[in-house]
Protein backbone atom coordinates (compact mmCIF):
# COMPACT_ATOMS: atom_id res chain seq x y z
CA UNK A 1 0.00 0.00 0.00
CA UNK A 2 1.06 3.54 -0.75
CA UNK A 3 0.90 6.41 1.74
CA UNK A 4 0.97 10.16 1.08
CA UNK A 5 4.56 10.22 2.46
CA UNK A 6 5.59 7.90 -0.40
CA UNK A 7 4.46 10.42 -3.01
CA UNK A 8 6.29 13.51 -4.26
CA UNK A 9 4.35 16.77 -4.54
CA UNK A 10 1.78 17.32 -6.04
CA UNK A 11 0.66 13.66 -5.91
CA UNK A 12 -1.68 12.37 -3.21
CA UNK A 13 -3.36 9.09 -2.29
CA UNK A 14 -7.03 8.78 -3.19
CA UNK A 15 -7.48 5.12 -2.17
CA UNK A 16 -4.90 2.68 -0.85
CA UNK A 17 -5.73 -0.07 -1.46
CA UNK A 18 -8.75 0.15 -3.73
CA UNK A 19 -11.64 -2.20 -3.03
CA UNK A 20 -10.95 -5.90 -3.61
CA UNK A 21 -13.62 -6.36 -6.31
CA UNK A 22 -12.13 -3.59 -8.44
CA UNK A 23 -8.62 -4.96 -7.87
CA UNK A 24 -9.71 -8.45 -8.94
CA UNK A 25 -11.32 -7.02 -12.09
CA UNK A 26 -8.15 -5.10 -12.97
CA UNK A 27 -6.01 -8.22 -12.47
CA UNK A 28 -8.41 -10.28 -14.60
CA UNK A 29 -8.42 -7.67 -17.40
CA UNK A 30 -4.61 -7.70 -17.39
CA UNK A 31 -4.44 -11.50 -17.27
CA UNK A 32 -2.81 -11.49 -13.85
CA UNK A 33 -3.43 -14.00 -11.11
CA UNK A 34 -2.90 -13.25 -7.45
CA UNK A 35 -3.11 -15.30 -4.34
CA UNK A 36 -1.88 -15.50 -0.78
CA UNK A 37 1.64 -16.23 -2.00
CA UNK A 38 1.59 -13.11 -4.21
CA UNK A 39 0.15 -10.28 -2.10
CA UNK A 40 -0.54 -7.14 -4.11
CA UNK A 41 -2.51 -3.96 -3.76
CA UNK A 42 -3.91 -1.60 -6.34
CA UNK A 43 -3.59 2.00 -5.19
CA UNK A 44 -5.28 5.05 -6.71
CA UNK A 45 -3.24 8.27 -6.67
CA UNK A 46 -3.91 11.70 -8.12
CA UNK A 47 -1.90 14.69 -9.23
CA UNK A 48 -3.60 17.49 -7.29
CA UNK A 49 -2.52 20.11 -9.85
CA UNK A 50 -3.70 18.39 -13.03
CA UNK A 51 -6.39 16.06 -11.66
CA UNK A 52 -4.76 13.12 -13.47
CA UNK A 53 -5.36 9.85 -11.66
CA UNK A 54 -3.35 6.66 -12.02
CA UNK A 55 -3.68 3.26 -10.44
CA UNK A 56 -0.53 1.44 -9.40
CA UNK A 57 -0.35 -2.27 -8.71
CA UNK A 58 2.17 -2.81 -5.92
CA UNK A 59 3.59 -6.31 -5.65
CA UNK A 60 6.93 -8.03 -5.26
CA UNK A 61 9.77 -8.91 -7.61
CA UNK A 62 13.31 -10.18 -7.03
CA UNK A 63 14.30 -6.72 -5.68
CA UNK A 64 11.46 -6.50 -3.18
CA UNK A 65 8.44 -4.20 -3.43
CA UNK A 66 7.81 -3.13 -7.01
CA UNK A 67 5.22 -1.49 -9.22
CA UNK A 68 3.90 -4.48 -11.17
CA UNK A 69 1.07 -2.77 -13.03
CA UNK A 70 -0.19 0.63 -14.14
CA UNK A 71 -3.67 1.68 -15.22
CA UNK A 72 -4.67 5.20 -16.22
CA UNK A 73 -8.44 5.64 -15.92
CA UNK A 74 -10.38 8.30 -17.74
CA UNK A 75 -11.32 9.37 -21.22
CA UNK A 76 -8.30 11.58 -21.95
CA UNK A 77 -5.36 9.90 -23.70
CA UNK A 78 -1.94 9.68 -22.08
CA UNK A 79 0.93 11.06 -24.13
CA UNK A 80 4.46 9.74 -23.82
CA UNK A 81 5.60 13.02 -22.23
CA UNK A 82 2.94 12.75 -19.55
CA UNK A 83 3.75 9.09 -18.99
CA UNK A 84 7.38 10.04 -18.37
CA UNK A 85 6.24 12.56 -15.75
CA UNK A 86 4.65 9.88 -13.57
CA UNK A 87 7.00 9.54 -10.55
CA UNK A 88 7.09 5.73 -10.67
CA UNK A 89 10.74 5.25 -9.66
CA UNK A 90 10.41 7.70 -6.76
CA UNK A 91 7.25 6.00 -5.49
CA UNK A 92 8.79 2.53 -5.73
CA UNK A 93 11.94 3.68 -3.91
CA UNK A 94 9.92 5.37 -1.14
CA UNK A 95 7.77 2.28 -0.57
CA UNK A 96 10.87 0.04 -0.48
CA UNK A 97 12.57 2.36 2.02
CA UNK A 98 9.48 2.47 4.25
CA UNK A 99 9.22 -1.33 4.16
CA UNK A 100 12.94 -1.79 4.92
CA UNK A 101 12.63 0.64 7.83
CA UNK A 102 9.67 -1.26 9.26
CA UNK A 103 11.43 -4.63 8.93
CA UNK A 104 14.60 -3.27 10.58
CA UNK A 105 12.59 -1.72 13.43
CA UNK A 106 10.79 -4.98 14.16
CA UNK A 107 14.05 -6.90 14.12
CA UNK A 108 15.70 -4.32 16.39
CA UNK A 109 12.77 -4.37 18.82
CA UNK A 110 12.96 -8.16 19.10
CA UNK A 111 16.73 -8.15 19.63
CA UNK A 112 16.85 -5.14 21.99
CA UNK A 113 15.14 -6.96 24.80
CA UNK A 114 12.84 -5.40 27.39
CA UNK A 115 12.95 -1.66 28.06
CA UNK A 116 15.35 -0.59 25.26
CA UNK A 117 14.95 3.09 26.20
CA UNK A 118 15.73 2.72 29.92
CA UNK A 119 19.02 4.02 31.27
CA UNK A 120 22.13 5.07 29.38
CA UNK A 121 23.04 3.22 26.22
CA UNK A 122 26.57 2.39 27.37
CA UNK A 123 29.08 0.85 24.97
CA UNK A 124 29.03 -2.35 22.91
CA UNK A 125 30.83 -5.38 24.27
CA UNK A 126 32.09 -6.10 20.77
CA UNK A 127 31.18 -5.75 17.08
CA UNK A 128 28.58 -8.51 17.39
CA UNK A 129 26.78 -7.17 20.47
CA UNK A 130 23.40 -7.33 18.74
CA UNK A 131 21.42 -6.33 21.80
CA UNK A 132 23.44 -3.10 22.15
CA UNK A 133 23.15 -2.27 18.43
CA UNK A 134 19.41 -3.06 18.47
CA UNK A 135 18.91 -0.67 21.43
CA UNK A 136 20.97 1.94 19.57
CA UNK A 137 18.87 1.46 16.41
CA UNK A 138 15.62 2.01 18.28
CA UNK A 139 16.92 5.12 20.02
CA UNK A 140 18.40 6.49 16.80
CA UNK A 141 15.14 5.91 14.92
CA UNK A 142 13.18 7.72 17.63
CA UNK A 143 15.55 10.74 17.55
CA UNK A 144 15.63 10.80 13.71
CA UNK A 145 11.85 11.27 13.57
CA UNK A 146 12.14 14.79 14.97
CA UNK A 147 15.76 15.82 14.36
CA UNK A 148 17.69 17.18 11.41
CA UNK A 149 20.92 15.96 13.06
CA UNK A 150 20.04 12.71 14.81
CA UNK A 151 23.64 11.56 15.28
CA UNK A 152 24.55 14.84 16.99
CA UNK A 153 21.41 14.89 19.12
CA UNK A 154 21.77 11.25 20.19
CA UNK A 155 25.46 11.79 20.91
CA UNK A 156 24.60 14.65 23.29
CA UNK A 157 21.98 12.53 25.04
CA UNK A 158 24.36 9.58 25.45
CA UNK A 159 27.52 11.53 26.29
CA UNK A 160 29.58 10.37 23.30
CA UNK A 161 30.82 12.06 20.12
CA UNK A 162 28.70 12.29 16.97
CA UNK A 163 31.39 10.28 15.17
CA UNK A 164 30.93 7.46 17.69
CA UNK A 165 27.19 7.41 16.99
CA UNK A 166 27.90 7.41 13.25
CA UNK A 167 30.26 4.46 13.66
CA UNK A 168 27.72 2.58 15.78
CA UNK A 169 24.83 3.29 13.37
CA UNK A 170 27.00 2.06 10.51
CA UNK A 171 27.47 -1.24 12.35
CA UNK A 172 23.73 -1.38 13.15
CA UNK A 173 23.04 -1.00 9.40
CA UNK A 174 25.46 -3.84 8.64
CA UNK A 175 23.55 -6.01 11.11
CA UNK A 176 20.24 -5.12 9.40
CA UNK A 177 18.92 -3.22 12.42
CA UNK A 178 18.69 0.12 10.58
CA UNK A 179 17.85 0.65 6.92
CA UNK A 180 20.49 2.15 4.67
CA UNK A 181 20.73 5.88 5.27
CA UNK A 182 21.11 8.72 2.84
CA UNK A 183 24.46 10.43 2.99
CA UNK A 184 24.37 13.53 5.15
CA UNK A 185 20.90 12.92 6.54
CA UNK A 186 20.90 9.74 8.62
CA UNK A 187 24.51 8.96 9.41
Amino acid sequence: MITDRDLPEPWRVVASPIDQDSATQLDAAAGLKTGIEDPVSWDLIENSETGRRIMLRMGFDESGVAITGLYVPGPQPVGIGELRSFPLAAIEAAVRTRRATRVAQVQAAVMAGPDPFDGPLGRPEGPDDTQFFARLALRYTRVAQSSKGPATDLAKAEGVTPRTIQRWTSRARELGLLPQGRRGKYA
Side-chain angles (χ1 to χ4, degrees), residues 66-137:
I67 295 172
T68 58
L70 172 71
Y71 174 72
V72 183
Q76 63 269 44
V78 178
I80 193 69
E82 183 182 13
L83 188 60
R84 286 186 186 133
S85 74
F86 294 164
L88 303 179
I91 293 169
E92 195 172 81
V95 172
R96 283 184 180 169
T97 299
R98 183 170 44 86
R99 181 174 165 81
T101 299
R102 189 171 58 237
V103 168
Q105 286 175 336
V106 167
Q107 184 176 355
V110 168
M111 297 176 89
D115 304 321
F117 298 102
D118 285 351
L121 186 58
R123 296 196 172 270
E125 294 180 13
D128 295 325
D129 186 351
T130 54
Q131 187 173 25
F132 169 83
F133 288 108
R135 291 175 63 226
L136 167 79

Side-chain angles (χ1 to χ4, degrees), residues 109-167:
V110 168
M111 297 176 89
D115 304 321
F117 298 102
D118 285 351
L121 186 58
R123 296 196 172 270
E125 294 180 13
D128 295 325
D129 186 351
T130 54
Q131 187 173 25
F132 169 83
F133 288 108
R135 291 175 63 226
L136 167 79
L138 292 173
R139 290 178 186 205
Y140 183 84
T141 301
R142 180 181 276 179
V143 171
Q145 290 174 352
S146 61
S147 172
K148 293 190 184 280
T152 302
D153 292 345
L154 186 57
K156 286 178 188 173
E158 297 296 336
V160 297
T161 67
R163 180 65 191 127
T164 298
I165 295 294
Q166 290 169 344
R167 198 171 58 250

Side-chain angles (χ1 to χ4, degrees), residues 12 14 29 46 48 52 57 67 74 99 104 114 118 132 144 176 183 186:
R12 68 179 188 86
V14 176
E46 176 182 66
S48 61
R52 172 61 88 181
R57 183 179 190 264
I67 295 172
R99 181 174 165 81
D118 285 351
F132 169 83
R183 188 165 181 81
Y186 295 110

Side-chain angles (χ1 to χ4, degrees), residues 161-176:
T161 67
R163 180 65 191 127
T164 298
I165 295 294
Q166 290 169 344
R167 198 171 58 250
W168 288 345
T169 57
S170 177
R171 181 63 183 145
R173 290 183 207 297
E174 290 171 5
L175 293 170

Side-chain angles (χ1 to χ4, degrees), residues 43-71:
D43 303 289
L44 177 62
I45 64 173
E46 176 182 66
N47 183 313
S48 61
E49 291 175 355
T50 66
R52 172 61 88 181
R53 290 183 168 196
I54 60 176
M55 297 176 92
L56 301 175
R57 183 179 190 264
M58 302 302 294
F60 294 95
D61 67 7
E62 60 279 351
S63 303
V65 177
I67 295 172
T68 58
L70 172 71
Y71 174 72

